[in-house]
Amino acid sequence: MFDIRSRMSRVAIQVLATVIVIPFLLPLVAMVAGSLAGEGWGNYKKVFDTGMVPLYFMNSAIVAGVTILFVYVCTMLAAFGFAKLRIAGKEIYFWLLLVALTMPEAVLLTPLFVTASTFDMYNELIAVILPLAALQVPFTVLLARGFFEGIPTELMEAGRVDGANVVQVFWHIVLPLTKPIAGAIVVLTLINAWNAYLLPMLMLLDPAKQVVTLLPSFFISQYTNDQTGVLASAVITAVPVIVAYLLLQRSFERGLAAGALK
């Protein structure tokens, strides 16, 4: 751990951190300021007057919650297998999984649309949930594997000596130790699932099944372009993710740090 003793070093690091934050902070300030332009808080009332905010929030909560569940289960099982089990060719499988990280979401839209239509999943939330989960798993497995490799193998061997099988060792010994990395996985998946735009726009045609990121579309059409409504919708959309991050910030940071170190 670096120990910064001199006041000059602390000031320099603070200035550097401020300079780095400013480019990310200015768009947020502009978004909030723009959402209050003109009618002020009336812009937010205008968004809620559409009557779709509760429905869209519920759909987004379902998408995010189920996606988190799928990603968590797949990540924990895969990371445990790659880190602790003797599986023939597991390194090949691991690197093949990482190749998926190079696939941009936009490239996959057409095959995903064809697949959803073929299996009669188009215009259903599951058509958004499954691709979102699949796109998250490669990175979360990469992150979690480093954490699992840091868990002492002696703990598993002690469990096996006491008569526990692999499933029992995973459930009773290993899984309780993964809370820090689980917090990071939950936050990352929540942010990506809640903010998903391309997949919901493509897969969800029924207004009753659309998600909160499509809320600004109420204020943009062929004959209207209400930017105050768009910005107010964006602020409302961002609030749940910001609150969730603040609540889980400590677990998120601990999980990232733990996953980066063996």
Side-chain angles (χ1 to χ4, degrees), residues 1-5 13:
M1 180 179 294
F2 295 100
D3 186 11
I4 302 175
R5 298 180 181 275
I13 290 179

Side-chain angles (χ1 to χ4, degrees), residues 24-46:
F24 298 95
L25 186 61
L26 287 179
L28 296 178
V29 174
M31 181 176 69
V32 174
S35 69
L36 294 172
E39 300 179 12
W41 293 106
N43 295 326
Y44 290 89
K45 181 179 181 298
K46 180 169 52 180

Side-chain angles (χ1 to χ4, degrees), residues 111-128:
L112 287 174
F113 175 79
V114 173
T115 303
S117 301
T118 301
F119 289 95
D120 198 25
M121 293 189 301
Y122 182 71
N123 208 29
E124 300 292 339
L125 293 181
I126 194 67
V128 176

Side-chain angles (χ1 to χ4, degrees), residues 101-182:
L101 287 173
T102 65
M103 299 294 292
E105 181 181 346
V107 173
L108 301 174
L109 291 180
T110 299
L112 287 174
F113 175 79
V114 173
T115 303
S117 301
T118 301
F119 289 95
D120 198 25
M121 293 189 301
Y122 182 71
N123 208 29
E124 300 292 339
L125 293 181
I126 194 67
V128 176
I129 292 170
L130 291 179
L132 283 177
L135 289 169
Q136 295 301 310
V137 165
F139 178 73
T140 55
V141 170
L142 174 64
L143 189 65
R145 185 187 185 185
F147 183 89
F148 274 84
E149 288 178 341
I151 297 176
T153 306
E154 290 78 7
L155 292 175
M156 297 177 55
E157 293 175 348
R160 298 301 298 271
V161 169
D162 290 338
N165 57 34
V166 174
V167 175
Q168 291 171 328
V169 167
F170 171 74
W171 184 260
H172 295 289
I173 298 176
V174 177
L175 198 59
L177 300 175
T178 62
K179 290 181 179 179
I181 197 66

Side-chain angles (χ1 to χ4, degrees), residues 4 6-20:
I4 302 175
S6 67
R7 182 177 181 180
M8 184 63 68
S9 299
R10 290 195 296 270
V11 171
I13 290 179
Q14 185 63 49
V15 171
L16 177 62
T18 303
V19 171
I20 293 174

Side-chain angles (χ1 to χ4, degrees), residues 142-253:
L142 174 64
L143 189 65
R145 185 187 185 185
F147 183 89
F148 274 84
E149 288 178 341
I151 297 176
T153 306
E154 290 78 7
L155 292 175
M156 297 177 55
E157 293 175 348
R160 298 301 298 271
V161 169
D162 290 338
N165 57 34
V166 174
V167 175
Q168 291 171 328
V169 167
F170 171 74
W171 184 260
H172 295 289
I173 298 176
V174 177
L175 198 59
L177 300 175
T178 62
K179 290 181 179 179
I181 197 66
I185 290 171
V186 167
V187 173
L188 287 172
T189 307
L190 172 63
I191 292 173
N192 286 286
W194 187 270
N195 292 330
Y197 178 75
L198 286 178
L199 278 170
M201 183 177 63
L202 176 67
M203 298 292 188
L204 303 175
L205 186 62
D206 186 356
K209 295 180 180 178
Q210 291 180 352
V211 295
V212 73
T213 50
L214 301 179
L215 193 59
S217 63
F218 275 88
F219 304 97
I220 300 178
S221 65
Q222 183 177 357
Y223 302 106
T224 61
N225 185 13
D226 187 353
Q227 288 300 308
T228 59
V230 171
L231 293 174
S233 301
V235 173
I236 293 172
T237 301
V239 168
V241 176
I242 295 172
V243 172
Y245 176 77
L246 293 176
L247 293 176
L248 298 172
Q249 180 181 6
R250 182 171 298 180
S251 296
F252 177 70
E253 293 173 351

